[in-house]
Amino acid sequence: MTRRPLLLVEDTPSLQLVYESVLKTAGHAVRCADDAASGLALFRTLQPPVVLLDLMLPDRDGLDLLSELLAIKPDTRIIVITAHGSINKAVAAMRAGAHDFLVKPFDEQRFLSAIGNALADAGPGPAAKPSGSVTAPPGEFTGTSEPMQRVYAKIRSVARSMATVFITGESGTGKELCAQAVHDHSNRAHGPFVPLNCGAIPPELLESEVFGHVKGSFTGAIADKQGAAAAADGGTLFLDEICELDLNLQTKLLRFLQTSTIQPVGAARARKVNVRIICATNRNPLQEVRRGRFREDLYYRLHVVPIHMPPLRERGADVVAIAEAGLTRFAQEEGRKFNGIDPEVATLFQRLDWPGNVRQLLNVLRHAVVLNDGPAVTRAMLPIELHHELEHREDETPETPRPHVTLEGLIGRTLAEVERMVIEETISRHGGSIPKAARVLDVSPSTLYRKIEAWKAAD
């Protein structure tokens, strides 16, 4: 039950009556307005903790009103209401500072859940921090660089909302850590956090993994199986590598997001679940939409609050802090006597591109700890492939021109030779950066590193 009344701004009389009735039945005091002008006047008088705002108002655009309300009282939790056909406006509202959004038609459970989450998070926001101040990392993150400070701030800002979070970033940048941190800072922290890697499950089994199945629904279904969506009921479902979903399953996921219902394979009836979705990909999702590999309507339904995880090469001194934390942990696990990283190695670590990001860095530290006994990680302890990368960077001479590949130069060569020439030319045109070349060629940086190592071994 609320002490201060909620404010409902809805211009359709029938819907206003329905929403008001549901709120009052649930014990909430509520005041109503049927246009932006009266809503703004009531807002100034009531100073409500939560505002329910229809984005389609007769006298003013709802997004403009949202911005003005937040300018007057920034800690207000605003839940926007929009029609199914204008989901892009809800996305814009979330980016403008809305706490959550509801897409018509929605059920009573989803409505009251959004109100409850907003009220739990309502109240004065954290005191403004002086410019340049450093915030302690949430969850299991390490590092205080400026790019990560922006990530931490967004995690704390979005955590208590029901809005879908879409995490992007290269492999190994910590996308699952980010999803776990959002869950741990949310009102759902007491519920389950269920991760599912969409790229690691065969397409024919993915629907069963997400939605479950009943016994006998297909060959091999020897017992009922609870899917990840049901297992996450009351908590968070993390769909990693979301762009790997086939188009048929994308349609079913969209229906799940719109209705909050699941229907296991072979089941006669659907049932409701209360799940927050967080998804992630190492691809460019909008590019996947343009190529026809990802549904546009699903993209806009999921891409509400984007969080981009910066690559390790853009995090400055964080690489040393992560390396030292990993070294301490691995030394304890392996019973070794390491006490730090040689200054030369620390400098080298900050010069490398780290195509595998944090995952690659930790593998390097694990390698050094397993094969050595300290007291400090020196250059000689680094794995051979890292030595090759260091030698390559030290021998780089940007002034030396390289001949450009032409079609005439490709005719008469084998496909393997053509592939090597194209890859090497692409790397050259991007200043020797393998990660940048990999993005242009639409492959993983690790694929290019493996090919380069194979060419070196064959030469």
Side-chain angles (χ1 to χ4, degrees):
M1 183 176 293
T2 57
R3 294 178 181 175
R4 286 182 291 163
L6 310 180
L7 174 59
L8 169 64
V9 185
E10 168 62 65
D11 66 316
T12 305
S14 59
L15 291 177
Q16 188 183 108
L17 285 171
V18 170
Y19 300 157
E20 184 179 14
S21 174
V22 170
L23 290 169
K24 287 182 176 179
T25 301
H28 300 294
V30 59
R31 295 287 299 276
C32 301
D34 53 14
D35 58 28
S38 56
L40 182 58
L42 277 173
F43 181 82
R44 293 182 185 278
T45 302
L46 300 172
Q47 298 284 292
V50 175
V51 176
L52 288 147
L53 174 63
D54 192 322
L55 290 179
M56 300 298 290
L57 297 173
D59 58 337
R60 189 175 176 186
D61 184 80
L63 287 176
D64 290 341
L65 179 58
L66 180 145
S67 298
E68 185 166 353
L69 298 181
L70 289 176
I72 295 169
K73 190 168 179 287
D75 62 300
T76 307
R77 301 302 182 248
I78 300 179
I79 301 170
V80 299
I81 302 172
T82 188
H84 171 63
S86 56
I87 186 68
N88 56 324
K89 291 201 71 173
V91 173
M94 292 299 299
R95 292 174 181 169
H99 183 268
D100 202 350
F101 72 95
L102 298 167
V103 179
K104 301 174 184 176
F106 46 83
D107 60 30
E108 184 176 323
Q109 177 187 352
R110 173 73 179 93
F111 184 55
L112 293 176
S113 176
I115 297 291
N117 288 334
L119 285 169
D121 197 37
K129 294 182 178 294
S131 176
S133 65
V134 175
T135 304
E140 297 183 19
F141 281 113
T142 299
T144 56
S145 63
E146 186 177 340
M148 290 306 294
Q149 289 294 319
R150 291 194 292 269
V151 171
Y152 303 157
K154 188 165 276 192
I155 287 173
R156 292 187 175 94
S157 174
V158 75
R160 291 184 177 274
S161 166
M162 271 292 290
T164 303
V165 177
F166 202 120
I167 307 168
T168 56
E170 297 174 10
S171 294
T173 49
K175 294 188 290 294
E176 185 167 346
L177 281 183
C178 179
Q180 182 74 62
V182 171
H183 171 77
D184 291 344
H185 283 72
S186 74
N187 297 322
R188 296 172 167 264
H190 64 281
F193 175 81
V194 180
L196 185 69
N197 189 329
C198 300
I201 301 170
E204 63 272 14
L205 298 179
L206 200 50
E207 182 177 359
S208 172
E209 290 294 325
V210 176
F211 300 117
H213 65 250
V214 298
K215 180 180 179 181
S217 56
F218 55 85
T219 303
I222 59 175
D224 290 353
K225 175 182 175 61
Q226 183 185 52
D233 195 9
T236 302
L237 175 61
F238 174 51
L239 297 174
D240 199 5
E241 303 305 341
I242 186 74
C243 288
E244 304 301 321
L245 284 178
D246 67 41
L247 290 170
N248 180 54
L249 194 54
Q250 287 178 31
T251 302
K252 295 180 179 179
L253 178 61
L254 180 62
R255 182 177 180 277
F256 167 55
L257 291 168
Q258 292 169 344
T259 65
S260 297
T261 62
I262 59 170
Q263 187 163 359
V265 178
R269 291 187 298 177
R271 75 178 183 89
K272 283 195 173 291
V273 292
N274 180 11
V275 172
R276 184 194 192 165
I277 300 291
I278 300 177
C279 56
T281 183
N282 60 7
R283 297 178 181 268
N284 181 330
L286 191 55
Q287 194 173 76
E288 294 298 296
V289 170
R290 290 168 180 158
R291 292 175 175 176
R293 297 198 291 241
F294 200 77
R295 289 181 59 115
E296 185 174 19
D297 48 2
L298 180 59
Y299 167 79
Y300 285 113
R301 188 64 180 79
L302 291 173
H303 203 265
V304 177
V305 180
I307 297 179
H308 180 70
M309 298 301 300
L312 188 56
R313 61 185 171 275
E314 295 178 4
R315 294 178 56 181
D318 281 0
V319 65
V320 179
I322 295 169
E324 290 173 342
L327 179 66
T328 299
R329 176 160 59 93
F330 297 148
Q332 290 175 347
E333 292 175 0
E334 302 293 339
R336 305 294 191 184
K337 299 176 182 177
F338 280 90
N339 58 15
I341 296 172
D342 187 87
E344 180 194 16
V345 173
T347 301
L348 292 173
F349 277 1
Q350 294 183 74
R351 290 179 52 212
L352 289 170
D353 273 341
W354 297 110
N357 293 291
V358 176
R359 188 180 296 122
Q360 181 189 6
L361 172 62
L362 294 179
N363 285 343
V364 167
L365 269 297
R366 173 77 78 175
H367 174 278
V369 169
V370 168
L371 298 181
N372 302 277
D373 196 22
V377 176
T378 64
R379 181 167 179 162
M381 297 178 184
L382 303 179
I384 188 66
E385 58 268 22
L386 213 61
H387 281 281
H388 290 161
E389 173 67 9
L390 290 168
E391 290 166 5
H392 172 72
R393 293 186 70 83
E394 288 167 354
D395 293 341
E396 279 181 344
T397 53
E399 299 81 10
T400 305
R402 289 175 55 92
H404 292 307
V405 174
T406 64
L407 182 60
E408 188 66 31
L410 300 179
I411 302 301
R413 295 182 180 273
T414 66
L415 188 59
E417 289 174 326
V418 170
E419 178 188 58
R420 178 171 180 173
M421 292 175 71
V422 170
I423 289 174
E424 289 180 340
E425 176 68 13
T426 304
I427 293 172
S428 174
R429 292 191 183 191
H430 289 83
S433 171
I434 290 177
K436 289 180 181 177
R439 285 194 287 275
V440 171
L441 295 169
D442 196 22
V443 297
S444 167
S446 60
T447 299
L448 298 188
Y449 276 97
R450 285 196 300 270
K451 289 182 179 293
I452 292 168
E453 287 300 313
W455 296 333
K456 288 179 180 177
D459 288 346

